[in-house]
Amino acid sequence: MSDGRILIGNFLCTDRDANVILGACTEFLNPEVCGFSDEPRILGLVMVPGRHIVSMHLEVPTNNNL
């Protein structure tokens, strides 16, 4: 995100404004930005405004992960 936070969750959907809905989401603070590393925070269901998204990465499960 544009403020340095990292959100990891299950992609559920998006809308025409590029907002993204994540389920089972966990928030991680970037120690390079905030100066300290804290425990991850469980958020659950979140809506991330598209204007704050810097990048997205996809993890594709392999046969070993099933």
Side-chain angles (χ1 to χ4, degrees):
M1 294 182 56
S2 60
D3 62 1
R5 291 180 292 162
I6 298 169
L7 301 178
I8 297 177
N10 299 324
F11 175 83
L12 298 177
C13 66
T14 187
D15 63 14
R16 65 180 173 184
D17 297 321
N19 299 317
V20 172
I21 305 294
L22 297 175
C25 187
T26 304
E27 174 189 55
F28 295 87
L29 299 178
N30 187 342
E32 296 174 4
V33 175
C34 66
F36 63 92
S37 179
D38 203 4
E39 291 293 319
R41 190 168 77 156
I42 297 172
L43 301 177
L45 185 66
V46 299
M47 190 278 295
V48 183
R51 67 181 179 274
H52 293 295
I53 298 173
V54 175
S55 67
M56 293 175 65
H57 302 274
L58 174 68
E59 181 179 314
V60 179
T62 61
N63 290 337
N64 296 337
N65 292 340
L66 296 178

